[in-house]
Amino acid sequence: MTETRTPPVPEAPQRAVRQDRAQLGLAALLLAAGAYTVIDATTLEVGFADPVGPRLFPYVVGSVLVVLSVLLAVAALRGDVPEADAGEDVDLTQPSDWTTVAKLVGVLLFTIVTVDLLGWAISGALLFTGAAWSLGSRTLIRDVIAGFVLSVASWYAFYVGLGIPLTPGILDGIL
Amino acid sequence: MDSLSLLGDGLASAATPENLLYAAIGVLLGTFVGVLPGIGPAMAVALLLPVTAGLEVTQAFIMFAGIYYGGMYGGSTTSILLNTPGESASVMTAIEGNKMAKKGRAAQALATAAVGSFIAGTLGTLGVVFFAPALASIAVDIGAPSYFAITVMSLVLVTAVLGSSKLRGFIALFLGLMIGLVGLDLNTGQPRLSFGTTQLADRLDVVVVAVGIFALGEALWVAAHLRRTPLQITPVGQPFLGRDDWRRSWGPWLRGTALGFPFGAIPAGGAETPTFLSYLAEKKLTKHPEEFGNGAIEGVAGPEAANNASAAGTLVPLLALGLPVTATASIMLAALQGYGIVPGPQLMSEQPDLVWTLLASLLIGNTLLLIINLPLAPAWARLLRIPRPQLYAGILFFASLGAYATNLDPFDIFLLLVFGLLGLAMRRFGIPVLPLILGVILGPLMETKLREALTISDGSPSALVGEPLAVVVYVFIVLAVAGPPLVRRLRGSGSDSDTPEREKELV
């Protein structure tokens, strides 16, 4: 069933020699996560009348993660290449464009920092505009208008329809 | 018969004009989001959960049922018109569906998908009405050891049987179990993996995790690989089925339903296997074999019905055991938990009115789907033309809104971002999403049952196999995991040709 995945991976013929070293980074991350899970569990106190206690589960989960991270590192070095996710708008024949991803993360971080101060109506509009711009849209004025329509409409929909007042921020009293 | 009269009561309480309005809104929203390229049903349901937040339980359920079926139908529209299925269950629909669309029969493909979904959804929901109470009445007597065994089974099967790389499946599962640990320990009240923050000690909101992994992760992944050449989209007329189409569709609809429902109801069944089997069956049984591969209507009708029937089938273990077996079902479980409802054997006897209202809502949502969506199909098709920057900016916008609206705490958007980046990494490294989500949801449940079982036995691990059912389940797990490779080894013994394949399986 997987044969229908489009498009074909171009480097398939030289698969035997190709390594995906980035997987080692993932393995390191898993190792850290597993180890931290175990260390965190040692700080827990075991209550009496609880023969299992809160430690066992994290011990098991953490140690298995450590084992899996080693297995992944070995598999990566032996030339095991992951099958990246395909999708309707995904073009795997092109090299990854991490700049766009970094811009989007920046836009989200900006939203996180400003949403309480500026309020959802303004922060949300900026989120939409910034994200569209990061993804390559060059119709700035149209995006700003669309962003404001979306954010103000969602503010009122949540306030009137669901009774949830999203943060008004500096527009307090105007909305 | 008892079940039917209870369902009747459920229908009566669900079918008020106001509730029908909520169902219609749910269907419209669900289809709208589901049609958008890149959004599968699980993601549609997760993104739209916050919309139901302020409603009372019944109305929320009804709207939710509409969203559920709408999101599923929207996904099949995308795969027929774009030939790039957003999820594995739609792969089979896309094969013949897109060929039909290219031959100018997009309208018929959409119509047979819609009617097939309706029939399969209705029969499947009726199946749930009959099977879920029966299973629940057996399940009430299941003790903690057996329950623990069953959760282990569903996690192991989903991880080991589905997906191409077992190693990556287990990485996903254990990451999910780790995420499930975050927060106060349920027994002793001590915070675990919380980095001293109160927001994490308060346990993670599953919706934030799901939206982060599904929606934001997908959007970031697409951003890194955005297709710069526009896709071919086939224009659609008014969907209708000619006499010949009806004659050729009804058999596949019924057979697809019969295949899909049981696969949905067992753990690790999913929708891939029955849609595939249904496609094969229709290819064998058809009187027009020459059309297969060139747009045969049976190849759309069967798999589409199987897909929907299997979605209904997943409700049996979800409602009767509290076990979700697909990503969409696990988000539904999270939604139910949000209303303080704990699905499981007791749910049927303790809150029967809720269950019957939910099932009745599913029937209503399914019917509205057919009524609303057949005429609207050309409008939905136009959604596929939304420019991609604005489309994915919109997904980011609504994902953030959903995360933020629950607690009005910017920290939740931060968590969303963290899980979005995790989702991105998983797509980059080919790590499946489903085991992770199931791990997050079932992990805490598993731990509770394990500790319950061992507390009774005062810590002796023999208690885990102290019930016959638990032993049977463990034997089944071993057979299911070790059986297929063993059979392959016995069959292929002596030939060297299968060695690399076996190695691949191990990794």
Side-chain angles (χ1 to χ4, degrees):
Chain A
M1 288 163 74
T2 44
E3 289 95 321
T4 48
R5 278 177 184 276
T6 48
V9 190
E11 53 272 301
Q14 343 138 4
R15 208 174 181 155
V17 278
R18 192 172 168 270
Q19 286 183 351
D20 183 7
R21 293 287 179 103
Q23 288 192 105
L24 295 178
L26 178 70
L29 216 69
L30 288 175
L31 181 74
Y36 183 77
T37 306
V38 173
I39 294 168
D40 180 75
T42 57
T43 65
L44 298 169
E45 283 161 35
V46 184
F48 47 99
D50 185 3
V52 185
R55 287 178 178 176
L56 177 75
F57 220 65
Y59 278 161
V60 173
V61 171
S63 351
V64 174
L65 272 177
V66 170
V67 173
L68 288 173
S69 72
V70 174
L71 288 178
L72 180 66
V74 172
L77 290 175
R78 284 177 55 187
D80 187 52
V81 180
E83 185 184 345
D85 227 32
E88 283 134 356
D89 286 333
V90 173
D91 184 357
L92 290 176
T93 53
Q94 301 289 318
S96 304
D97 171 12
W98 298 118
T99 329
T100 305
V101 175
K103 281 184 200 160
L104 288 177
V105 171
V107 169
L108 278 167
L109 284 174
F110 178 80
T111 310
I112 294 165
V113 176
T114 59
V115 67
D116 273 348
L117 181 71
L118 298 178
W120 175 254
I122 291 183
S123 263
L126 292 179
L127 168 67
F128 180 85
T129 315
W133 179 82
S134 306
L135 286 159
S137 165
R138 289 296 171 263
T139 49
L140 193 60
I141 297 181
R142 208 178 63 185
D143 293 343
V144 171
I145 295 170
F148 266 103
V149 169
L150 274 178
S151 66
V152 172
S154 60
W155 196 91
Y156 276 106
F158 271 76
Y159 185 66
V160 179
L162 303 171
I164 302 169
L166 298 168
T167 324
I170 52 173
L171 291 183
D172 198 1
I174 300 172
L175 284 171
Chain B
M1 280 300 108
D2 200 28
S3 292
L4 275 185
S5 74
L6 286 167
L7 182 67
D9 293 347
L11 275 173
S13 70
T16 67
E18 198 190 350
N19 289 348
L20 286 176
L21 182 68
Y22 279 108
I25 296 174
V27 166
L28 286 174
L29 279 176
T31 318
F32 180 86
V33 178
V35 167
L36 296 175
I39 304 191
M43 192 161 148
V45 174
L47 271 176
L48 287 171
L49 262 191
V51 179
T52 62
L55 300 174
E56 60 152 301
V57 186
T58 318
Q59 289 164 351
F61 273 11
I62 288 166
M63 197 159 160
F64 198 65
I67 291 173
Y68 181 55
Y69 279 130
M72 297 251 320
Y73 177 73
S76 63
T77 307
T78 325
S79 55
I80 288 172
L81 297 181
L82 284 184
N83 191 29
T84 35
E87 34 137 28
S88 45
S90 310
V91 170
M92 289 299 144
T93 308
I95 297 178
E96 298 297 323
N98 190 249
K99 292 270 163 50
M100 282 182 74
K102 290 222 170 92
K103 275 165 62 182
R105 288 178 29 94
Q108 283 75 19
L110 287 176
T112 197
V115 180
S117 301
F118 167 73
I119 290 177
T122 305
L123 291 178
T125 308
L126 290 175
V128 177
V129 168
F130 287 104
F131 287 109
L135 182 60
S137 68
I138 302 167
V140 171
D141 299 323
I142 291 180
S146 305
Y147 206 96
F148 175 74
I150 292 173
T151 49
V152 172
M153 174 176 77
S154 97
L155 290 179
V156 169
L157 291 189
V158 164
T159 309
V161 177
L162 305 178
S164 52
S165 162
K166 289 191 179 46
L167 171 63
R168 294 189 176 78
F170 277 103
I171 288 176
L173 172 63
F174 278 86
L175 271 176
L177 290 175
M178 188 190 86
I179 295 168
L181 283 173
V182 174
L184 291 183
D185 169 44
L186 298 172
N187 276 30
T188 63
Q190 303 177 81
R192 291 190 296 198
L193 296 179
S194 300
F195 304 95
T197 60
T198 45
Q199 286 110 326
L200 286 180
D202 208 19
R203 302 197 71 84
L204 293 170
D205 185 348
V206 178
V207 174
V208 173
V209 179
V211 172
I213 302 257
F214 285 111
L216 191 54
E218 180 75 20
L220 292 177
W221 175 240
V222 170
H225 294 274
L226 193 57
R227 196 185 291 278
R228 300 292 172 188
T229 47
L231 287 163
Q232 287 291 315
I233 302 165
T234 328
V236 190
Q238 201 60 38
F240 68 98
L241 288 171
R243 212 179 173 157
D244 195 43
D245 297 323
W246 279 102
R247 202 172 40 73
R248 290 175 57 181
S249 288
W250 69 267
W253 287 335
L254 295 181
R255 281 190 291 270
T257 306
L259 277 170
F261 184 78
F263 273 97
I266 57 166
E272 291 88 353
T273 320
T275 49
F276 181 64
L277 287 178
S278 160
Y279 182 80
L280 287 186
E282 297 316 327
K283 201 172 175 177
K284 275 247 161 65
L285 293 170
T286 182
K287 290 193 187 100
H288 310 267
E290 74 286 350
E291 278 190 29
F292 263 79
N294 295 313
I297 196 165
E298 292 94 338
V300 180
E304 219 16 56
N307 187 6
N308 261 44
S310 125
T314 57
L315 292 173
V316 173
L318 179 69
L319 292 175
L321 299 173
L323 265 193
V325 291
T326 61
T328 318
S330 55
I331 292 164
M332 287 190 80
L333 179 68
L336 293 175
Q337 283 169 344
Y339 284 97
I341 298 160
V342 186
Q346 283 84 25
L347 181 63
M348 291 268 172
S349 46
E350 279 172 13
Q351 293 174 303
D353 42 336
L354 275 185
V355 178
W356 295 111
T357 310
L358 174 64
L359 291 174
S361 319
L362 286 171
L363 288 177
I364 294 173
N366 205 10
T367 314
L368 278 179
L369 186 75
L370 188 70
I371 299 172
I372 294 178
N373 277 351
L374 273 182
L376 281 181
W380 296 133
R382 233 165 279 146
L383 277 180
L384 299 175
R385 299 180 189 278
I386 293 184
R388 294 309 183 252
Q390 280 78 5
L391 171 65
Y392 288 98
I395 294 177
L396 249 64
F397 175 90
F398 283 105
S400 307
L401 174 61
Y404 182 63
T406 327
N407 298 318
L408 300 184
D409 185 350
F411 184 77
D412 284 332
I413 310 182
F414 174 71
L415 280 179
L416 178 81
L417 178 58
V418 170
F419 286 110
L421 290 172
L422 177 64
L424 171 70
M426 293 172 74
R427 285 169 177 83
R428 158 70 178 78
F429 291 110
I431 294 174
V433 172
L434 177 59
L436 182 132
I437 290 290
L438 284 187
V440 174
I441 290 184
L442 290 182
L445 184 72
M446 223 169 120
E447 188 183 10
T448 311
K449 293 294 171 189
L450 175 71
R451 285 161 79 168
E452 212 172 279
L454 291 183
T455 304
I456 299 166
S457 77
D458 209 20
S460 156
S462 64
L464 290 181
V465 288
E467 288 183 13
L469 179 60
V471 179
V472 172
V473 172
Y474 287 124
V475 170
F476 178 75
I477 296 175
V478 172
L479 285 179
V481 174
L486 208 67
V487 170
R488 225 171 296 145
R489 181 173 298 207
L490 288 178
R491 261 199 218 147
S493 65
S495 75
D496 269 351
S497 60
D498 69 339
T499 324
E501 199 194 341
R502 232 175 30 227
E503 229 167 66
K504 214 172 139 198
E505 204 101 43
L506 285 172
V507 209

